[in-house]
Amino acid sequence: MMFLDLFKKSKKDGSFSAVDNEGMAVRGKYTRLKNGRVKFEILHSDASVEIVILNVFVSGDELTVAGDHPGDVERYRRMRQ
């Protein structure tokens, strides 16, 4: 399990931006799907786009995303501004 601190900005228009604990900045769009799943279109700094579909769980200021493989879990915390 990997724990990532980030400053995450999730907007009502379906866009987001984040920085992980290794300093990698990503941004992109998200779309809510059925059954708690979310499709992320991640735009990397080299202009490549990665599409991932993950299970998403929110509890307070923590966002947990889980893939379909065991152990494929990442946790994010909302950074207060």
Side-chain angles (χ1 to χ4, degrees), residues 8 10-12 14 29-40 53-54 56 58:
K8 177 183 163 296
S10 178
K11 302 175 184 173
K12 290 183 180 181
K29 296 181 181 182
Y30 67 92
T31 305
R32 292 182 188 182
L33 305 174
K34 295 180 180 181
N35 301 324
R37 293 173 68 81
V38 176
K39 175 183 173 183
F40 292 94
I53 297 176
L54 300 167
V56 176
V58 179

Side-chain angles (χ1 to χ4, degrees), residues 1-5 21 62 73-77:
M1 181 182 308
M2 178 187 286
F3 187 82
L4 300 174
D5 287 321
N21 61 341
E62 186 171 276
V73 176
E74 296 179 2
R75 291 192 176 101
Y76 296 88
R77 287 186 298 195

Side-chain angles (χ1 to χ4, degrees), residues 11 14 17 20 27 29 31 52 66:
K11 302 175 184 173
S17 61
D20 69 14
R27 62 186 171 90
K29 296 181 181 182
T31 305
V52 293

Side-chain angles (χ1 to χ4, degrees), residues 7-71:
F7 40 100
K8 177 183 163 296
K9 297 178 183 171
S10 178
K11 302 175 184 173
K12 290 183 180 181
D13 67 0
S15 64
F16 72 93
S17 61
V19 176
D20 69 14
N21 61 341
E22 295 179 7
M24 180 190 295
V26 295
R27 62 186 171 90
K29 296 181 181 182
Y30 67 92
T31 305
R32 292 182 188 182
L33 305 174
K34 295 180 180 181
N35 301 324
R37 293 173 68 81
V38 176
K39 175 183 173 183
F40 292 94
E41 297 178 45
I42 303 167
L43 178 61
H44 294 280
S45 59
D46 64 358
S48 64
V49 176
E50 176 183 7
I51 296 176
V52 293
I53 297 176
L54 300 167
N55 296 297
V56 176
F57 311 94
V58 179
S59 177
D61 285 342
E62 186 171 276
L63 172 74
T64 302
V65 293
D68 292 330
H69 303 289

